[in-house]
Every structure is written in structure tokens, then in C-alpha cells.
Amino acid sequence: MLNSFFYLVKQGFKNLWNNRLMSLASIGVLISCMLLIGAAALLSVNVSSIVDAVEDQSEAIVYLEDDLSDPEIEETRDGLIATGKIATIEFISKEEALLSMMESMGDDGMLFDAYSKDGNNNLPDSFRVTFDDVSDLENTVAHIEALPGVYSVSALTEVAQVITGVKNMAYLGGTIIIGLLIAVSLMIIGNTIKITVFSRKREVTIMKYVGATNGFIRLPFIVEGISLGVVSGGISYGIIYFAYDYFVKWVSSQNATWFSQIVSDLVPFAEISQYLLIGFIGGGAFIGLFGCVAFVGKHLNV
């Protein structure tokens, strides 16, 4: 039994060599598909990472009502934290707000010097907050505005909606593209196996007549399909690795500030390398196996 298994595996590898031109063509096309799958996955992951970084920097100013006591301010702080959406919170007194405004205006800030004396400062105390998730920022802001001691909230809800939309589009678009490319890869593997079956139809017929089971006939094709998928996956992983490393170094070499910001938000390849390797090798093997199972069976009825 074991000898028969190894014989059939050997036949599968021999089929790869005997049909090397078709095998090379299939590997080339599969590599192209897998590179596109990998690129789509990396693009989706990095867009999400960049959007998350922008999301982390999004903030709102919660203006407090006048003449709140310290216990009332702390009660408002506790209410903000209790929303469960606050990542960071910083109290800004009216004196700090005025000083910050004067510093931001440079020499012209001296015009407001009089407001820092004799109790003329009419700026409100406030909290500067950032959010864990801005996908439901409009409702979060409405909830905060209803808290005791809150006068108003200044937040860029429109920007939050754009951020959420970009994130969802990146995820949905990446999923659709990857799904389509996997379907194309399955068709490629299936057609390769189909052509191989046709080219060996007489041999398959003889094997059926002498009592060979479908499993016995199918195994070499399964080995062939899995081998094509694994080889394509390994080569694709190597190309993606070097291409991604080159891209990161190229972006790092640019002088533009926003380029530098992009690099800092890109996902390091080391963090996703094992997932990509498993995805390429495992996905290639699955595509090869599924392609054989799906397309070989109906061609064994002779």
C-alpha cells in the first residue's frame, strides 16, 4: 500500500516534468495571480494601518460650562471616560487655552495680554480627547454633549465619516479582488489538470479497464496540482518580500514630510511575513488540491 502511494506521488512529479511547458505556463500565470493577491492584501492592510493612524490622531475639544467647581469638572471627566470611546483625555484650563492661543499668534499674541489679567479671560475650560473608534463619532459627540457640565463639542464628524468610508472600502475592495483572483487561480489549475487528463486519456482508459480506482488515477494529478500551487506560492512570496522591502526603502529615501509619515504608518513586513508565507504556501496547496478535486472527477468517466 505504501509502495503504491509513493509510486503515485512519483508519477505526479513525473507528470510535471513530462508536461513542463504547460507546468511552467501555469506557474507563471499563478504567480501573476498570487502577486496580485499579495499586493491587494498588503494594500488593504497598509491602508487600514494608515487610516488607523489618522484615526488615532483625530481629536475633539469638549468645552465646559462656566464656573464649574473642581468636583463637577471631575464628574464630567468621569462621564467622558464612561462613554467607553475615549482613548486619551487632557484637561485644559482657560488660562492654558489663552496662553496657547497667544503663543500660536506670535508677536500678535500680545494684543490679548489684557485678557490674561483682572479676570477678563472669557475662554472656557475644556477637555481635549481622542477616540478609540471614530466610526460612530456623530452619536458619540451627541452623547458627550448631553453630559452634565458640557457646553459644546468641537469635532470633525465629516472627516470621521470619510475615514470610516475609506477603511470600509479598503477592506471590501481587497476582499473582492482577492476572491476574484482566487477564483481565476482555481480555473487555471483546473484547466491545466484538464489538459493533462486529455493528453493521457488513453492511459487513463487502460488503467480503468484493468481495475484501477478513481482514487488511484486521481492521486498523481492531485500531487501535480498541489506542487504547482506550492511552487507558485513560494516564488510569489519571495518576489513580494523583496518588492515590499524595496518599496519601503524607496519611500524612506524621499525627502517629503508626508512620505516619511507614510513610512512610519506602514506595517513592518516582519509582522505579516509569517501570515503571508502561510497564505501563499497553504493557499497555493489548497488551490491545487481544490482544482484537482473539482475538475478531474468528471473527466475520469471513460
Side-chain angles (χ1 to χ4, degrees):
M1 182 69 178
L2 190 61
N3 289 336
S4 297
F5 174 78
F6 284 116
Y7 167 77
L8 294 175
V9 171
K10 182 179 178 181
Q11 284 298 116
F13 287 116
K14 185 180 292 186
N15 291 343
L16 286 173
W17 175 252
N18 292 337
N19 300 281
R20 50 189 176 274
L21 292 179
M22 179 60 66
S23 297
L24 287 174
S26 299
I27 289 173
V29 177
L30 281 174
I31 287 175
S32 300
C33 290
M34 288 187 175
L35 287 177
L36 291 174
I37 292 173
L42 285 173
L43 179 62
S44 179
V45 167
N46 280 292
V47 168
S48 295
S49 176
I50 293 172
V51 171
D52 286 341
V54 174
E55 189 176 53
D56 291 340
Q57 296 173 8
S58 63
E59 62 180 30
I61 305 298
V62 180
Y63 296 106
L64 305 181
E65 295 176 352
D66 292 335
D67 302 323
L68 290 180
S69 64
D70 289 343
E72 289 174 328
I73 291 175
E74 287 303 312
E75 182 182 351
T76 303
R77 179 197 293 270
D78 293 339
L80 289 170
I81 296 174
T83 63
K85 300 294 183 67
I86 304 300
T88 63
I89 182 169
E90 177 188 3
F91 177 71
I92 303 173
S93 67
K94 60 176 64 179
E95 292 78 17
E96 291 173 329
L98 178 60
L99 181 61
S100 176
M101 185 178 68
M102 291 173 64
E103 289 177 349
S104 68
M105 298 182 67
D107 294 338
D108 293 335
M110 298 299 295
L111 297 173
F112 294 89
D113 189 52
Y115 289 95
S116 63
K117 303 174 183 177
D118 302 326
N120 292 323
N121 185 354
N122 293 321
L123 295 177
D125 293 328
S126 62
F127 285 107
R128 179 185 289 118
V129 299
T130 59
F131 300 96
D132 285 324
D133 183 13
V134 298
S135 60
D136 194 28
L137 185 59
E138 189 172 354
N139 288 332
T140 302
V141 169
H143 179 70
I144 291 174
E145 287 178 331
L147 292 175
V150 173
Y151 176 71
S152 66
V153 179
S154 176
L156 299 176
T157 54
E158 295 83 1
V159 174
Q161 292 175 355
V162 172
I163 291 174
T164 303
V166 170
K167 192 173 182 178
N168 292 337
M169 286 179 60
Y171 176 78
L172 179 61
T175 301
I176 292 174
I177 292 173
I178 290 172
L180 290 174
L181 291 173
I182 288 176
V184 171
S185 300
L186 288 173
M187 293 297 298
I188 293 169
I189 284 286
N191 286 328
T192 301
I193 300 299
K194 188 188 302 184
I195 292 173
T196 304
V197 172
F198 283 144
S199 66
R200 298 175 56 203
K201 192 172 182 64
R202 178 176 297 179
E203 178 183 346
V204 170
T205 301
I206 294 174
M207 292 175 69
K208 291 281 289 184
Y209 282 148
V210 299
T213 63
N214 286 342
F216 186 90
I217 299 173
R218 185 183 288 115
L219 184 56
F221 296 111
I222 292 177
V223 171
E224 185 177 351
I226 292 177
S227 299
L228 289 173
V230 169
V231 170
S232 301
I235 295 174
S236 300
Y237 174 82
I239 294 174
I240 285 287
Y241 172 81
F242 288 108
Y244 191 79
D245 182 64
Y246 174 81
F247 173 75
V248 171
K249 290 180 179 178
W250 177 78
V251 174
S252 301
S253 66
Q254 305 304 306
N255 295 324
T257 304
W258 65 277
F259 261 65
S260 301
Q261 182 64 41
I262 288 177
V263 173
S264 66
D265 295 331
L266 290 178
V267 178
F269 192 82
E271 291 186 7
I272 55 177
S273 60
Q274 60 181 356
Y275 301 107
L276 283 177
L277 182 59
I278 294 173
F280 276 124
I281 301 299
F286 170 78
I287 289 173
L289 175 62
F290 185 83
C292 289
V293 172
F295 290 97
V296 172
K298 62 181 180 180
H299 297 289
L300 294 182
N301 299 320
V302 295

